[in-house]
């Protein structure tokens, strides 16, 4: 297996620096263009962070756990869940500001895990298997990591939901609010904080990765997701947050998994996985998603009522809160519809052009495998000529 390679793709910061230099050079002319080619200190720092993710993340984790073991006595706010309810027979927890430290530790953990899995396991496996394109190897590592995470997170989310009052029951999302919501089991709280850590880390990832065509759509998606999760935790709406996360994770498994299968060259298997992905996407991200939005806008009103605003006792339900969450979820659905339109372009190519090129990957992967796409187009034309002959 080949030696692990450093991250080599152009980050968002590199792209922004290049654009600034290009704009400046166009106004200064050739004489000015030769004078200032040096990147800013900020870009240099970002490049160092990108190139040394394993080193600085592992060092930080070592420092965190050494501090917890030898100084904090196993009670560090970054390692141990905080705000356990004294005398609670179920050992439940509430939320508080010190949870930020716990989330920050998981941001560092996910940074280390992602790079280690990509560079030491997934990318070497792709090269060993015979993938020659450097872009495909990198994409296989990225999508393989996401596939692994979504499988684990979706399994954990469904386990949290199973046996809860809101399992297959949307009215259960709102019953006993706020008392039954602000008191979380250790499993529920750790699941939610870890998910927050993952999505904050995803914001970091999208900034350090190659600047792709749908960067701003993805960045907007991540910011909306972090806001929804953060405010739902603060306002004790973790039940609905858990449900929405499960809807998103389930189709993402097939999205990332299908890409990995295709990068390895299993076109027929990828086709079957792609069909399952489309079905799961429509069912979870549109049909069930709108059911949850209906529950937020209508069912919650009848069960909780707008007269229950009492922040001191953990109740944050009001008309403005429902409106704010509704707007954020509507914006998220607009992005989902936009991405699904790109998926439908793939369906059109497969059915009418016999060409299985992922137009969504074209936007996500920044023109990945342009040569492969051109070859595929030439093969499609050649096949049509043969049929006409």
């Amino acid at each position: 297996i080949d030696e692990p390679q450093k991250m080599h793709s152009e980050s968002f910061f590199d792209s922004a620096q290049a654009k600034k230099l290009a704009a400046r050079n166009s106004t200064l002319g050739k004489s000015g263009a030769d004078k200032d080619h040096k990147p800013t200190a900020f870009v240099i720092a970002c490049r160092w962070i990108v190139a040394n993710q394993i080193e600085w993340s592992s060092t930080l984790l070592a420092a965190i756990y050494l501090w917890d073991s030898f100084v904090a006595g196993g009670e560090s706010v970054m390692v141990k869940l905080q705000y356990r309810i004294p005398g609670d027979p179920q050992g439940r927890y509430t939320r508080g500001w010190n949870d930020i430290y716990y989330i920050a530790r998981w941001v560092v953990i996910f940074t280390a895990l992602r790079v280690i899995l990509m560079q030491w396991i997934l990318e070497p496996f792709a090269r060993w298997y015979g993938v020659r394109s450097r872009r495909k190897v990198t994409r296989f590592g990225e999508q393989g990591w996401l596939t692994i995470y979504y499988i684990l997170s979706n399994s954990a989310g469904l386990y949290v939901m199973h046996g809860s009052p809101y399992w297959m029951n949307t009215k259960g999302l709102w019953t006993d609010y706020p008392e039954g919501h602000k008191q979380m089991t250790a499993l529920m709280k750790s699941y939610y904080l870890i998910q927050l850590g993952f999505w904050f880390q995803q914001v970091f990832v999208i900034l350090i990765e190659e600047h792709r065509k749908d960067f701003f759509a993805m960045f907007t998606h991540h910011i909306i997701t972090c806001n929804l999760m953060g405010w739902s935790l603060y306002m004790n709406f973790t039940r609905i947050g858990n449900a929405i996360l499960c809807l998103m994770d389930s189709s993402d498994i097939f999205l990332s998994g299908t890409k990995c299968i295709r990068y390895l060259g299993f076109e027929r298997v990828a086709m079957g996985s792609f069909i399952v992905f489309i079905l799961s996407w429509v069912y979870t991200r549109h049909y069930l998603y709108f059911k949850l939005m209906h529950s937020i806008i209508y069912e919650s009103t009848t069960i909780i009522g707008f007269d229950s605003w009492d922040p001191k006792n953990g109740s944050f339900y009001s008309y403005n809160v429902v409106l704010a969450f509704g707007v954020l979820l509507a914006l998220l659905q607009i992005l989902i519809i936009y991405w699904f339109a790109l998926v439908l372009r793939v369906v059109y190519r497969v059915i009418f052009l016999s060409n299985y090129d992922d137009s969504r990957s074209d936007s996500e992967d920044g023109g990945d495998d342009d040569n492969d796409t051109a070859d595929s187009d030439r093969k499609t034309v050649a096949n049509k000529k043969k049929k006409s002959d």
Side-chain angles (χ1 to χ4, degrees), residues 249-307:
D249 289 348
S250 57
S251 59
D252 278 334
I253 294 172
F254 296 105
L255 172 60
S256 300
T258 300
K259 291 183 178 182
C260 289
I261 294 170
R262 183 165 182 256
Y263 291 145
L264 294 178
F266 297 102
E267 295 291 341
R268 292 186 178 180
V269 179
M271 177 65 73
S273 178
F274 181 64
I275 293 172
V276 175
F277 156 68
I278 292 176
L279 296 175
S280 66
W281 179 290
V282 173
Y283 182 68
T284 59
R285 294 200 167 199
H286 296 296
Y287 174 69
L288 291 182
Y289 190 96
F290 279 112
K291 285 194 69 174
L292 287 183
M293 287 194 67
H294 177 272
S295 180
I296 293 171
I297 297 171
Y298 296 104
E299 283 188 339
S300 64
T301 305
T302 59
I303 295 173
I304 301 177
F306 289 132
D307 58 345

Side-chain angles (χ1 to χ4, degrees), residues 107-156:
V107 172
V108 180
I109 289 175
F110 282 128
T111 300
L113 281 177
R114 180 180 183 270
V115 181
I116 289 171
L117 280 174
M118 283 179 57
Q119 296 186 4
W120 292 2
I121 298 176
L122 295 171
E123 291 181 8
F125 172 79
R127 288 190 291 268
W128 170 82
Y129 193 80
V131 179
R132 294 290 175 257
S133 168
R134 189 177 71 174
R135 280 184 177 273
K136 279 189 175 182
V137 169
T138 302
R139 297 296 180 262
F140 179 84
E142 294 170 355
Q143 298 302 320
W145 154 249
L146 290 176
T147 302
I148 293 170
Y149 176 79
Y150 289 134
I151 289 174
L152 294 175
S153 64
N154 194 48
S155 300

Side-chain angles (χ1 to χ4, degrees), residues 132-136 262 355-357 362 365-380:
R132 294 290 175 257
S133 168
R134 189 177 71 174
R135 280 184 177 273
K136 279 189 175 182
R262 183 165 182 256
N355 186 354
Y356 185 62
D357 289 319
D362 289 342
D365 296 345
D368 187 17
D369 308 322
D370 291 336
N371 294 331
D372 295 341
T373 302
D375 291 340
S376 180
D377 290 339
R378 286 193 291 270
K379 289 178 182 178
T380 301

Side-chain angles (χ1 to χ4, degrees), residues 136-208:
K136 279 189 175 182
V137 169
T138 302
R139 297 296 180 262
F140 179 84
E142 294 170 355
Q143 298 302 320
W145 154 249
L146 290 176
T147 302
I148 293 170
Y149 176 79
Y150 289 134
I151 289 174
L152 294 175
S153 64
N154 194 48
S155 300
L158 291 174
Y159 183 79
V160 169
M161 287 184 65
H162 184 70
S164 69
Y166 54 98
W167 175 256
M168 301 297 179
N169 174 29
T170 55
K171 292 182 179 180
L173 295 167
W174 315 108
T175 53
D176 301 325
Y177 182 84
E179 290 300 324
H181 296 246
K182 66 182 182 181
Q183 300 169 347
M184 297 176 284
T185 64
L187 177 63
M188 176 62 162
K189 182 171 182 176
S190 58
Y191 162 79
Y192 220 79
L193 297 183
I194 291 171
Q195 283 275 38
L196 267 167
F198 172 78
W199 283 105
F200 278 120
Q201 199 268 339
Q202 282 296 100
V203 175
F204 168 73
V205 166
I206 198 173
L207 292 175
I208 68 172

